[in-house]
């Protein structure tokens, strides 16, 4: 169906992966051929630097301090959290580097074709939600930029009811940021990496300048003298809840790193770079947030700590400094919205509706429906921010655990790429419903203990007593609980069809090799210029 030049259906794959069934793939869901693998080490480093430098990372330690812990404990929580999750990100990202397929396709190996929708829908909801949150951060930055040029913008008459949690000038800034952002959502991941490279230079330079200002302005500032205001058992639960909120912020990348690593042209060993890199980068940015907030609190004698960086910038006397400082946060929000949210949501929407959604349409859909989530209400206070992050984590911890152990332990790093696109083959069917009940049971075991606490965080009038505590360390509880149950069920009730003798890589299909006796000559037309590079297994991983 078409309307003028617009085709309702997206271009479908004609490779051997589709096998005449457009329900499970399209061109963007197919494995990336060699010609499309252009991400090298510098691309991934700039990607992560770009992803780390955003307002949420700035607010990690500051918001932890706001709920009663000291700056030292805040930095310790951030460092430990990213040390833990970096292993999961690296392990799940390696699958994309080896097989060059996205998260929704990888999920079929452990969940089954229809079962994978549980993981996909869980992630797409959260990705769109976080996309909307970053829109608010970007809008606040745009508002500060406009007010630096036009001061009376801040005193504009508000025509929006007060109970909506947003004023007219902020809504205008929200619309501006959203409109500017939309063209970037139409860019393919192979081209958008240049945005990450640009951001990884400009934003760190601006934030290091803010750090220098903080120490020049007030030295350490009064915040560095504060100690924890909670003690006893409350201290322990606040500590765990804060760690869960930090883990929750990047829990999505612990499952979807393959959405980017699938474009890698280097060995999967490069994914190990995240283990030392992520704790250092994120802890450093959190320290900038602490130092700047402390300096602002002392210098401007604010009644509360300005843990929101835009609030801090608003106190600066120099209008030029306010404009460029706010610009760095607007650019930060733009970059992270694409790297962590819109592309993730697009891959999920594409897997749900492959006939009608490709990467570009998926990102645009994400941008459009994010309006309905009223994200400005989530960011009204530090406690609400932490509650949102905790809620984010309890679903993705179990999903990450299932994916990790399925590939590295249960399936012994051996997937059949062709079978992941063809439900008629017995390897990943599991049963007539195309659902791996082992993954579903393990997921429920990991999530259910945190649900009472989640309901209380959404509505404090719902009293759950000690039921709040599992939710306070929901990511760790979900990850560990799901891991144990999934491993036990997978060994106790093995799916022997899925335990293949050797891996089948996408290159075998694109090169037209024989895969278990079936011709795959159709894959040749997808290969293009990549034929000259040859075929070989990824070094460092015994995938055959």
């Amino acid at each position: 169906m078409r309307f003028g030049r617009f085709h309702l259906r997206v271009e479908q794959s004609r490779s051997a992966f589709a096998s005449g069934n457009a329900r499970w793939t399209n061109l963007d869901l197919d494995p990336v051929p060699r010609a499309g693998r252009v991400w090298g080490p510098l691309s991934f480093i700039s990607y992560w630097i770009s992803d780390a430098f955003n307002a949420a990372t700035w607010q990690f330690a500051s918001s932890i301090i706001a709920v009663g812990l000291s700056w030292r404990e805040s930095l310790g929580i951030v460092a430990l959290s990213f040390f833990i999750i970096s292993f999961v990100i690296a392990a799940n990202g390696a699958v994309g580097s080896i097989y060059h397929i996205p998260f929704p396709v990888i999920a079929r190996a452990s969940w089954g074709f229809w079962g994978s929708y549980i993981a996909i829908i869980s992630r797409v909801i959260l990705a769109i939600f976080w996309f909307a949150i970053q829109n608010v951060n970007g809008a606040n930055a745009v508002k500060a930029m406009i007010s630096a040029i036009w001061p009376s913008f801040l005193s504009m008459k508000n025509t929006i009811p007060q109970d909506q949690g947003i004023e007219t000038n902020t809504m205008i800034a929200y619309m501006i940021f959203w409109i500017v952002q939309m063209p970037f959502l139409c860019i393919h991941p192979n081209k958008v990496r240049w945005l990450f490279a640009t951001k990884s230079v400009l934003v760190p330079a601006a934030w290091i300048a803010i750090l220098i200002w903080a120490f020049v302005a007030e030295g350490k500032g009064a915040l560095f003298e504060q100690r924890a205001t909670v003690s006893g058992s409350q201290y322990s639960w606040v500590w765990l809840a804060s760690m869960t909120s930090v883990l929750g912020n990047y829990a999505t990348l612990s499952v979807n790193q393959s959405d980017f690593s699938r474009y890698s042209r280097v060995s999967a060993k490069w994914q190990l770079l995240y283990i030392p890199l992520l704790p250092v980068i994120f802890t450093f940015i959190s320290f900038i947030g602490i130092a700047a907030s402390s300096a602002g609190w002392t210098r401007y004698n604010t009644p509360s700590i300005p843990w929101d960086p835009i609030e801090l910038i608003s106190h600066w006397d120099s209008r030029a400094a306010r404009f460029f400082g706010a610009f760095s946060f607007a650019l930060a929000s733009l970059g992270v919205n694409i790297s962590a949210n819109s592309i993730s949501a697009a891959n999920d929407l594409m897997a749900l509706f492959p006939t009608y959604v490709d990467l570009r349409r998926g990102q645009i859909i994400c941008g459009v429906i994010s309006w309905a989530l009223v994200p400005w209400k989530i960011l009204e206070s530090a406690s609400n921010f932490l509650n949102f992050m905790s809620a984010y984590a309890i679903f993705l911890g179990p999903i990450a655990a299932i994916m990790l152990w399925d590939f590295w332990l249960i399936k012994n790093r051996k997937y059949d790429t062709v079978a992941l696109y063809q439900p008629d083959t017995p390897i990943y069917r599991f049963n007539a419903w195309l659902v791996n009940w082992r993954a579903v049971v393990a997921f429920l075991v990991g999530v259910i203990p945190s649900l009472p606490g989640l309901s209380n965080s959404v509505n404090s009038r719902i009293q759950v007593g000690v039921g709040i505590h599992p939710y306070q360390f929901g990511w760790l509880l979900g990850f560990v609980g799901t891991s144990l149950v999934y491993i036990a069920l997978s060994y106790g009730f093995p799916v022997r069809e899925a335990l293949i003798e050797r891996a089948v890589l996408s290159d075998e299909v694109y090169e037209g090799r024989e895969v278990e006796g079936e011709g795959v000559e159709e894959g040749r037309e997808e290969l293009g210029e990549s034929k000259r590079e040859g075929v070989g297994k990824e070094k460092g991983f015994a995938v055959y």
Side-chain angles (χ1 to χ4, degrees), residues 10 54 67 118-119 181-182 195 214 222 228 255 261 280 327 344:
V10 300
N54 67 85
V67 294
I118 297 174
Q181 180 178 237
M182 291 304 288
L195 171 65
V255 302
S261 63
V280 172
F327 173 78
S344 302

Side-chain angles (χ1 to χ4, degrees), residues 80 113 145 153 164 170 203 215 249 256 273 288 304 310 313 328 337 391 433 435 463 488-489 509:
L80 178 60
F113 280 77
M145 291 170 62
F153 182 72
Q164 295 304 305
T170 307
V203 177
F215 279 95
N249 191 15
N256 81 325
L273 179 67
I288 295 176
S304 60
I310 303 303
I313 288 173
S328 73
N337 233 4
W433 298 280
V435 176
Q463 299 299 317
L489 291 178
V509 179

Side-chain angles (χ1 to χ4, degrees), residues 348-370:
D348 295 333
L349 292 170
M350 188 165 54
L352 295 174
F353 311 104
T355 304
Y356 303 101
V357 180
D358 55 15
L359 271 175
R360 177 182 298 176
R361 291 185 186 179
Q363 291 193 80
I364 294 174
I365 292 171
C366 172
V368 171
I369 65 178
S370 64

